[in-house]
Amino acid sequence: RIIFGFLEPEDLKDVLLVSKNWKSVADEPILWAGFDLPRKCRRNVQKFYRFLDFSLSTKLQHLTLTGDEPPNDINEYDDHFKFEIKDKHIKHLMNLELASVEIKNIDLSKVSDEVLGQFINKCKECDITEYYEDEPPNNNLNLSSDDDDEEKLFLGVKKITSIFKAIQEALEGSRLKSLRLKYARRQEYKERMNLDLSAIPSDILVAAFSRLEILDLEDVFLNSEQLSSIFDLGFGRSLRRLRLHGVEMDFIQARHLIKVLDTNCQLKKLELSEVDVSDIPSMFFAGVINKIEWVVFKDMEVDSDQLEEMFLAIIRGDSAMKHLGMFGMNDSLSDVDEEVFATAVNMLESVAFDENLSKDLTEQMFNVMSIQTNLKIIGMPGKQIPVDAFENIQEVDEKVLAEALNNLRSVRIDLGNFDRDCFFNMPQLITFFKQLSSRSELKRIVREDWPDWSRFPY
């Protein structure tokens, strides 16, 4: 099974034909996790039907619905449907036991709201990305309007609402456990805007969200009444992961959210961005956040007192937190006591900060790390940060840095690339590698980007 795990689905289908023994191993669902609808079936409708009649289609776990030319942020190698998707195509797909579906950049106007809703409701995970090409008159894109803006959207409020209604009506019969709804610009230079979902009735949103285990909303606009209803009734006991990125809320709504997280939710992972929580008492804020294992803050309005109290709770052992990421928050971090900061982060399993973390915090973090640390990586699980990209890393003593990095389990060193400098100096690099031969906890050294040697400071 380990060897078969290195094979692509295109090769696995040949393995199935070798022998009964090989087939019994190659049939395991985990080996087919990346299997998507073959490219030829997206280009020809007859081949689409033929594939779905073939036994291999039962291996299909994930489906990506894309069409037309991709926007700039979609991988150029993605496969796009060359024929118009209609009800009959979706109904054939509903016969499969799909685990996840991703919808982006495709016109589904010929698919009825009811059929699309039922289809998504049969999947465990749904990822919807809505694109907007031109700039509307204001920063919120109103999907409920009947003007020309509606024609520039691929789904629109009607179909998004139908998806939520299908979840609401399915009651306990819904398989959907994860929902991601995102707005994305087709051109990176366009001004960032929000999808206006204020026309969707609150009770539909509440019913749809209350059964989810994962909810991810990015750059959507919800009115005050919707937010209050979702916070009070839409976050069910089953919710384990919540990401709100660019979801506008005032300080009253932010306080409401934190109170709900304290009393009604059992989150394991929380990601918040662009929310002002500075009005919330430090002790209360720290108590709520420290109940959560995985926390990521980005561009948040947070007082240094709140952060320091959060770090002190970690030091006291009053915390369940294991992973912490903080981005765009150096102003707040700079006023936190360096020793408190460094001691706390070294009690976690992973931490991630901006590359321009202050000199004092950078030095103290590695000083403590060189003596003793619980940290396994710099970065978040699955996304390490190159330690040589920290702008103040050269201020750390070479011996201290070597001992600190060798106390980790994995370290990423890119040695610079075409858009990022390397801030290691040569003595630091030599001392680090020398330390490897004496005493080290390191299991892996990762380089994710090919180095640009012109950026390395010889």
Side-chain angles (χ1 to χ4, degrees), residues 75-253:
N75 189 305
E76 62 178 338
Y77 298 109
D78 278 356
D79 295 317
H80 314 290
F81 280 90
K82 304 301 182 183
F83 57 89
E84 193 173 45
I85 302 295
K86 300 179 181 179
D87 276 1
K88 58 184 179 181
H89 304 125
I90 297 297
K91 286 178 178 179
H92 271 77
L93 291 169
M94 287 172 65
N95 294 324
L96 304 176
E97 292 294 323
L98 290 174
S100 61
V101 60
E102 184 176 4
I103 301 173
K104 55 184 180 182
N105 203 52
I106 189 168
D107 182 4
L108 297 178
S109 60
K110 299 299 182 181
V111 179
S112 68
D113 298 341
E114 181 182 3
V115 169
L116 181 61
Q118 290 174 354
F119 170 61
I120 290 176
N121 208 43
K122 287 176 64 66
C123 300
K124 292 181 181 179
E125 301 175 12
C126 178
D127 187 333
I128 301 172
T129 303
E130 184 70 288
Y131 292 95
Y132 187 80
E133 188 164 7
D134 299 314
E135 186 173 330
N138 54 57
N139 285 342
N140 285 339
L141 179 60
N142 189 341
L143 300 188
S144 62
S145 65
D146 294 325
D147 56 23
D148 291 339
D149 287 340
E150 178 74 22
E151 297 177 2
K152 300 170 185 175
L153 295 159
F154 285 98
L155 290 179
V157 70
K158 188 178 179 184
K159 281 204 165 30
I160 291 175
T161 303
S162 72
I163 294 168
F164 294 154
K165 276 185 176 180
I167 304 171
Q168 179 189 38
E169 294 169 358
L171 298 176
E172 300 302 323
S174 174
R175 295 185 70 221
L176 194 65
K177 299 299 180 185
S178 173
L179 176 65
R180 181 184 185 218
L181 179 58
K182 173 187 176 182
Y183 164 76
R185 292 165 287 183
R186 286 175 61 88
Q187 292 86 19
E188 286 300 318
Y189 61 84
K190 291 291 185 180
E191 183 181 354
R192 180 180 163 195
M193 294 165 289
N194 288 359
L195 286 170
D196 188 348
L197 302 181
S198 59
I200 301 178
S202 296
D203 62 319
I204 292 178
L205 293 173
V206 166
F209 295 166
S210 63
R211 293 178 174 83
L212 298 175
E213 295 177 4
I214 301 172
L215 176 61
D216 186 333
L217 300 176
E218 179 170 341
D219 289 341
V220 302
F221 174 77
L222 298 165
N223 62 40
S224 179
E225 192 270 332
Q226 287 173 314
L227 286 173
S228 295
S229 298
I230 292 169
F231 293 164
D232 285 333
L233 304 170
F235 292 166
R237 287 284 178 179
S238 58
L239 190 65
R240 293 294 178 266
R241 292 171 57 181
L242 175 64
R243 179 175 181 265
L244 300 177
H245 180 91
V247 178
E248 297 180 14
M249 61 182 82
D250 57 30
F251 72 92
I252 296 176
Q253 293 158 349

Side-chain angles (χ1 to χ4, degrees), residues 375-389:
L375 284 173
K376 294 177 172 56
I377 61 170
I378 303 295
M380 301 300 281
K383 192 178 176 80
Q384 293 191 64
I385 293 175
V387 292
D388 56 311

